[in-house]
């Protein structure tokens, strides 16, 4: 079993997937379920995942995703969706809080604070969706590695077109696509790009 450090060190954005190696449905389900342990604002989990497997739907996605070959070659492409209105009362997670003892008034207080202070503008609402669903996306990439699979995150796509093709609500964003499958080991990846280190990115206060 890989330890967490090994998972971090071995994850790469894999460009070449073996198109003949399919993903077991049970493994796919476990990857997604494990990833739902990611943290989210008020535990609201304002995210959804589209699992795109068929040649027909992958081709539609490929046409809107800069014709990136990995969309066709990976056995599965996930579209990570963020809900910009995921803090509103219809989210069933608020009911779970009520079941656990919160009052309706308290819940309305959180929602009101979200509407007026945390996410008042469209920009803040989109950031809410993107912040939360990106944590799910990263969790999926590490969970996949744990199960021996490889991934490639992508934002090279026409979001409006992808939303149209997959009938995604206008209140939702397509945070990123993740190609998922097994690296075709006959094709070597370029060495990993340089990372900025502690001294480059950290400001101490
Ligand atoms: C949000 C995001 C969007 C990305 N979009 C693309 C993309 O559309 N096409 C692509 O080839 N790589 C894309 N990448 C992959 C990056 O180029 C890659 O993660 C980076 O070069 C570091 O390489 P590594 O993941 O192998 O360590 C994206 C990565 C992230 C996190």
């Amino acid at each position: 079993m890989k330890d967490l450090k090994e998972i971090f060190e071995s994850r790469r954005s894999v460009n070449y997937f073996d198109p003949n190696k399919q993903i077991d449905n049970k493994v796919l389900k476990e990857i997604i379920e494990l990833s739902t342990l990611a943290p989210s604002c008020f535990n609201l989990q304002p995210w959804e995942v589209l699992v795109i497997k068929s040649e027909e739907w992958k081709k539609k996605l490929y046409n809107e995703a800069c014709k990136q070959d990995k969309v066709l070659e990976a056995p599965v492409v996930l579209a990570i969706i963020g809900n910009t209105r995921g803090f509103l009362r219809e989210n069933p997670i608020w009911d779970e809080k009520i079941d656990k003892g919160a009052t309706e008034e308290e819940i309305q207080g959180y929602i009101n604070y979200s509407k007026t202070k945390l996410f008042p503008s469209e920009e803040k609402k989109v950031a809410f969706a993107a912040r939360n669903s990106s944590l799910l996306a990263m969790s999926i990439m590490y969970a996949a590695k744990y199960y021996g699979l490889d991934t490639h995150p992508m934002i090279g796509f026409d979001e409006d077109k992808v939303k149209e093709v997959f009938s995604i609500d206008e209140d939702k964003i397509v945070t990123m696509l993740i190609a998922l499958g097994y690296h075709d080991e006959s094709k070597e990846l370029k060495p990993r790009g340089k990372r900025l280190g502690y001294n480059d990115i950290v400001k101490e206060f």
Side-chain angles (χ1 to χ4, degrees), residues 8 10-15 65-66 68 70 134 138 141 151-157 175-177 189-195:
F8 271 68
S10 61
R11 184 214 56 80
R12 291 294 315 278
S13 294
V14 161
N15 258 319
C66 308
Q68 300 193 57
K70 44 196 171 272
S134 291
M138 191 69 251
M141 290 187 266
T151 54
H152 197 127
M154 288 168 271
I155 53 169
F157 58 88
T175 304
M176 71 184 78
L177 305 174
L189 297 179
K190 289 188 189 137
R192 200 201 276 278
K194 166 188 157 63
R195 291 307 204 254

Side-chain angles (χ1 to χ4, degrees), residues 164-184:
E164 196 181 311
V165 168
F166 291 93
S167 307
I168 297 165
D169 284 3
E170 60 172 346
D171 285 348
K172 294 178 179 166
I173 60 166
V174 185
T175 304
M176 71 184 78
L177 305 174
I178 301 178
L180 180 66
Y182 295 90
H183 180 194
D184 174 354

Side-chain angles (χ1 to χ4, degrees), residues 19-121:
N20 301 314
K21 231 170 150 184
Q22 296 306 308
I23 302 175
D24 185 328
N25 275 336
K26 189 169 162 279
V27 170
L28 175 62
K29 204 170 166 198
E30 285 183 31
I31 290 171
I32 306 282
E33 298 270 11
L34 187 58
S35 304
T36 64
L37 296 176
S40 61
C41 181
F42 295 120
N43 192 37
L44 287 170
Q45 306 159 63
W47 52 51
E48 288 166 32
V49 180
L50 306 187
V51 174
I52 302 152
K53 292 183 190 178
S54 74
E55 292 310 314
E56 183 195 345
W57 286 100
K58 281 200 294 181
K59 183 80 199 191
K60 288 182 190 181
L61 182 61
Y62 168 81
N63 288 334
E64 310 307 341
C66 308
K67 298 204 153 74
Q68 300 193 57
D69 288 339
K70 44 196 171 272
V71 171
L72 294 180
E73 286 170 5
V76 169
V77 182
L78 306 175
I80 309 298
I81 310 299
N83 185 354
T84 65
R85 303 296 191 274
F87 53 87
L88 297 181
R89 185 64 184 88
E90 49 264 32
N91 187 327
I93 291 293
W94 291 124
D95 293 322
E96 192 234 10
K97 293 186 192 300
I98 295 221
D99 292 345
K100 288 197 170 146
T103 63
E104 186 63 40
E105 206 182 0
E106 281 166 343
I107 299 300
Q108 289 302 335
Y110 293 136
I111 294 172
N112 206 32
Y113 187 69
S114 300
K115 282 181 182 168
T116 56
K117 299 279 187 235
L118 295 177
F119 323 117
S121 63

